[in-house]
Amino acid sequence: MRILMVTPEANPFAASGGLAEVIYALAGALVRLGHQVTVALPLYRQVRESGRPLTFTGHTLSIPLSWKTLPGEVYQAEIEPNLNFYFIAQDTLFNRDGLYGTAYGAFEDNAERFIFFSRAVVEMVEALELEFDICHAHEWQTGLVPVYLRTLYHDRPRLQRLPVVYTVHNVGYQGLFSSFDLPLTGLGWELLSPKALEFYGKINFMKGGLVFADLLSTVSSRYREEILTPDYGFGLEGLFQERAQELYGILEGVDYQRWDPSRDPYLAAPYDRDQLKGKKACKAALAKHFGLKLDLKRPLLGMNTRFFERKGIDLVENILDDLMQLGVGFVIQGAGEERHQYILQEISLKYPEQMGLAIGYGDELAHQIIAGADIFLMPSRYEPCGLDQLYCLRYGTIPVVRATGGLDETIKEHDPGTGVGTGFKFTGATPTELLGAVQRALAVYQDGAAWEALMQHNMALDFSWDTLAPKYLELYQAAVDKRRSLLGG
Amino acid sequence: MASDRAAFLTQMVEVLTSTVSFGERLNNMVHLLARHLKVDLALYFALDKTKETLFLNISSQGPIPPHMRVEFPLGQGVVGETAVTRKVRVVHRLQPEALSANAPLEKLHPNFHTLAAFPVADDNFLYGVLVLLDKQDRTFGAAERQSMQLAGLMLAGTLRQAIVQEEAKKRIAELSVLFEVGKALSATVELDELLERIVSTTAKVITARGAALEIIDRATGETRVSSRYGQIPAVCPALKEMFPRPAKTTGPPHFETQSVDADGRTHYCLAVPLTFKGQLQGTLCVYDKFSPNEVYLPFDPENRQLLITMAGLIVNAIENALTFQQVEDLAERNERMVQNLTVLQEISQVLLTTVQEERLLEMILQGLTLEQGLGFDRGVVLMVDEASQTLTGAKGAERAAQPSQAALPAALLSPLPQEVPVADWQIPLRPDQGALALAVLKKRPYHYQEHLKEPGLPAVLPGKLAAREFFVVPLIVKDRATGVILVDNQASGRPLESEPLNVLNMFASQAALVLENAHLYSTIEANNRELLLIRERMLESDRLAALSSLASGMAHEIRNPLVSIGGFARRISKLVEETSPLRGYVEVIQEEVTRLEKLLREILDFTGENLSYYGDHDLVKLIEDTLVLVQRDLDAANIKVVKEFAPLPRLHCDHRQIKQVFYNLFSNACQAMPHGGTLTIRTYPLEKEDGLYEAITVTDTGGGIPMEVLHNIFNPFFSTKDYGTGLGLAIAQRIVSRHYGQIEVNNEMGKGVTFLITLPVAKYCLVKDAGQNAVPASALKAPKGGRR
């Protein structure tokens, strides 16, 4: 199958969160299954700085944006045979520090940026006469791709027959913009209706994808169920219910090429389930990295997160004092709302020997925290899939998670009596319940043997992409079939 | 401390100049300020659009849950006061009224002791108020106040930028809407299509459930055009609400209403006027704005503004389309007109081929009813009878069931498919006689419609003309109505339109002309025939005058020798023996002389050479006296005499001559009835308009006078008899006319002849007779003069 992935970020060129990883790993798994994958990305500054060679295809697209027209140069990079990247270059829009914003928040012109990107991708397929069997669009940034395919470009045979699957990674980010941005899309005003893009007087890019894509998916079965309810649907629950028959829940997987303690280049020492000594070295290195003065027998808690309340950062802030009293170590890396940065900074200044804070996000440190920590906290208010808990499993780091979405689906509560289960879960999004779950984990930690058994059990689990890619292929095939039947054979 | 402030200001400028969204910039600024001044809470209250209320917009603690949303009216609390004064204000909890005035803030920070509010304003606008709350009693130093002021300016700058950008986006969005509308407008000049596009585009850009457009003619109040899209109520109340515009409204005119339907749903309606330069006005109306949760939303001021702008844009397009439609209509009408004129021309060409009235009527009716012609279902021609002042049915026809395939000229000449009997249509020409009579009297066409009272149906027509409506047009020649044409579409039930009426009018004037021509032609022909006759008579009368003068001369010349011959013959007869063979000769001479004398007398009578003997005589006595003279002949032929004498006054006349008249008439009657019969003699008084006459009829049963000789009977020397002089009736006529009377003949072929003689009674006769009781003088009227 020839697959076009349209995504706002993808490793190894541009990443701001888990999506980049997911795309790259999924693409890799599909290629391993013998398929051709093409990934379309904006040409961010990050892409230029990735150091990989880019080739100008010679095609420059003219993309109308309201009353002006911007050129979009198409660049190409082949990562490996059958894995191709196309980039849409438009420096006024994409040659910036962040992908979607800065430390102070999202770019003011994100609507324009991703309208441009989505339209350019569609134009690119037509202009370069690229042949694809399926288009797979991700996240709100590409929500207009299905819209363009099915409205403005519907009369182009190549685009008309292209099936499109739209995957929602997080309903919390829908791409809501003022209705005054509609002219930028070049779409008719009739699409500014509740049946299409309109969402309480605004334009909702994700809604466009959900309405116009042939099939929909999200990243876990549990999350798929959750978004049918008002608590998690963020106002789109009605639309999800309407299309529930065409909404699939497929977990994201782990790229064990990159996430395996036995061959992780970032670690102080490699280790595996039979040889756990290396993990102690990792823990020591991590403590040293943050300048902690921690007895290595004491448990070290870790977090790679973003400082948003949806990640439960406020819950963590609330129990940090209590945790510190328990004498545990805590390291956290992340970026996000300044408010939380400051609060965390204040707390870390209070406990410089116990707590380590790293503002920002580094892949290396992320690996080191997952490897070096004993316990990993994921108190998210909602988590569509979550990958860190899966990495933790392989790295013998025990996850403490809130029972939501992918976390709830992939982590089973550990029963110290039977030894069954993989982690510790809490349900209510309150500091107390979080603290309770951490304390349950700490209690097991006291029993060294049981803890080691738990670690070893977890490290044997397989959440690799190779088990999940076939499910996506099934989804693609269903979309192909649906499109074909819609076009009458 | 100073470096702290520098770092703060650096960060603030960083935020201010960042490209992140405005909301996030503001959030960051509020947060930075709270951190820099080390206050528990910083709140930004924004002034709302009405500029009356300040509502909590940003909190340094992050998103504001709904129950924390507080607001202050302008002038109330520290927030409201600062908005009015635009001055920094610091209040402490223990100050009088500090707590009560700012109670809502307790919700956000239950233990605040210090409240510091400063305006967020640039040199022009106030955007809102920033409030700092702290649980400590705080005073703010000059440096801190400067930071606050700078933060306020930066916030204001960001807000200003946000507003400007939002405005720009809005303008662009509006432009794009208008562009879309413009595209729709310029895509067509067809009015219907244009209106459809307008309402559908309007509904789409406003995201309304329906839209409607209505344009009325201001003069007549009638709807000129209307178009609807989507789901909308049947009646738009906007039009009558908006025109005339209520005096007290301000701002651009518009109309908004909401209503609740049976299901408890609220419906909204927004309408703006369309104002044209000409005699039109209208509305553009949208209904029920969509929302995702199926509840309709009211329209906001932006919708209104957009609709008003659109209204201005579409008016010109509609006006152009209306004009285009008018031009098209005109062109179409012209084309039809040319067609009609062609038809009329063809018909008129054919009509010119004859001057026969009957044929013309047929052609006219064909022209009216043929599909290729005027195409009416039925046509009737009625002509004016000047003498009786009535309108009389001339001919009528209905359209053929099978349409003729022939070309118009040929079809016109074909016989009428189905005639309508109209001979009994007799309509007196009075204004109360309905449309047909009125058409003649007023010389203008009428469109009769059953449901209209005026003009009505003529009294004689109901039952004969079953039509709900018809046209009637007068046939006018030289300002005189000679008849009418009536047409209807009763059979097919098609309505009659005004356009065919115009064509019909033109047709009628043509028809009137040809009918008049035909009529004149036939009159001329008749007159011509009469003139020929008169000419013949005059020639004859000249001949007679010469003849009679010759005859009278000859008669005088012959009479003297004849007297001599007669006298000598009588003398000779006395000398000749009774038995002498000469006796026979002498008697022959005598008889022949007598006969010649009689002939001479008659000739002299005819030529009027005799003297007259006038006197007053009883007419009946004269008749009786004359009858005696012919009694022998009557008896011989076995003729019965019937006398019906009415009492009459005396007549001033020449009794000898009158007796001569009767003698001639009686003799003729005898000769007409050689094998018996009845001679009827009647006398009676006859009142004519110029006086009293005595009338005498003499009727025989002799089978009448052959038609070929009838016109000759009063001519002298015309006789059907071998031995007649041919002067009898000629003398009689001459005598009667000498008496200012008349003699007429009424010939009934196969029965007999009646001669009617009328003689005027002189006035003085009546006076004389009065005493003798012949006739009551009072009952009779004498002619005004004896002679005329």
Side-chain angles (χ1 to χ4, degrees), chain A residues 415-432:
Chain A
D415 183 344
T418 61
V420 175
T422 55
F424 300 90
K425 297 204 277 193
F426 66 100
T427 310
T430 63
T432 323

Side-chain angles (χ1 to χ4, degrees), chain A residues 66-67 102 104-108 180-181 183 188-190 192 194 198 200 338-339 342 346, chain B residues 11 14-15 19-21 24 28 31 35 60-61 165 169-170 172-173 176-177 180 204 207:
Chain A
S66 188
W67 303 97
T102 70
Y104 296 117
F107 290 126
E108 188 269 326
F180 299 144
D181 284 326
W189 282 92
E190 67 272 15
L192 189 66
E198 201 235 45
Y200 296 95
E338 279 222 323
R339 200 152 45 85
Y342 296 132
E346 277 167 24
Chain B
Q11 247 184 325
E14 228 173 69
V15 174
T19 53
V20 305
S21 68
E24 306 216 42
N28 278 304
H31 185 77
R35 262 177 54 78
S60 59
Q61 286 183 341
Q165 173 144 349
K169 275 192 182 179
K170 199 172 116 184
I172 289 173
S176 106
V177 166
E180 196 155 322
K204 278 178 199 160
T207 61

Side-chain angles (χ1 to χ4, degrees), chain A residues 107-179:
Chain A
F107 290 126
E108 188 269 326
D109 56 353
N110 269 347
E112 186 171 343
R113 297 172 78 223
F114 290 102
I115 287 167
F116 177 86
F117 173 62
S118 300
R119 192 163 181 178
V121 169
V122 173
E123 289 261 9
M124 175 187 80
V125 174
E126 179 78 359
L128 274 64
E129 299 181 359
L130 303 175
E131 293 291 345
F132 296 110
D133 300 309
I134 183 85
C135 170
H136 188 180
H138 298 267
E139 290 290 48
W140 70 260
Q141 287 90 342
T142 66
L144 291 184
V145 170
V147 181
Y148 280 126
L149 285 177
R150 298 295 167 253
T151 59
L152 213 51
Y153 293 89
H154 186 64
D155 52 350
R156 318 279 178 93
R158 179 191 301 277
L159 300 174
Q160 188 186 35
R161 59 173 184 260
L162 180 61
V164 55
V165 169
Y166 183 66
T167 296
V168 174
H169 294 263
N170 188 341
V171 186
Y173 300 89
Q174 300 179 357
L176 281 177
F177 299 98
S178 159
S179 61

Side-chain angles (χ1 to χ4, degrees), chain B residues 88-102:
Chain B
V88 178
R89 208 167 126 73
V90 181
V91 176
H92 295 281
R93 193 184 187 86
L94 297 175
Q95 284 176 330
E97 291 180 24
L99 200 55
S100 60
N102 299 298

Side-chain angles (χ1 to χ4, degrees), chain B residues 395-454:
Chain B
K395 215 174 190 62
E398 276 176 7
R399 200 218 285 249
Q402 290 295 317
S404 161
Q405 297 300 323
L408 183 59
L412 283 173
L413 295 170
S414 57
L416 284 177
Q418 202 175 347
E419 277 205 40
V420 177
V422 293
D424 57 345
W425 291 22
Q426 302 274 353
I427 300 157
L429 286 176
R430 291 198 308 268
D432 61 347
Q433 290 298 310
L436 284 81
L438 279 173
V440 173
L441 293 173
K442 305 261 189 203
K443 293 184 211 132
R444 74 174 193 79
Y446 280 87
H447 182 186
Y448 166 85
Q449 282 163 296
E450 199 172 41
H451 60 276
L452 294 179
K453 272 196 182 138
E454 292 291 330

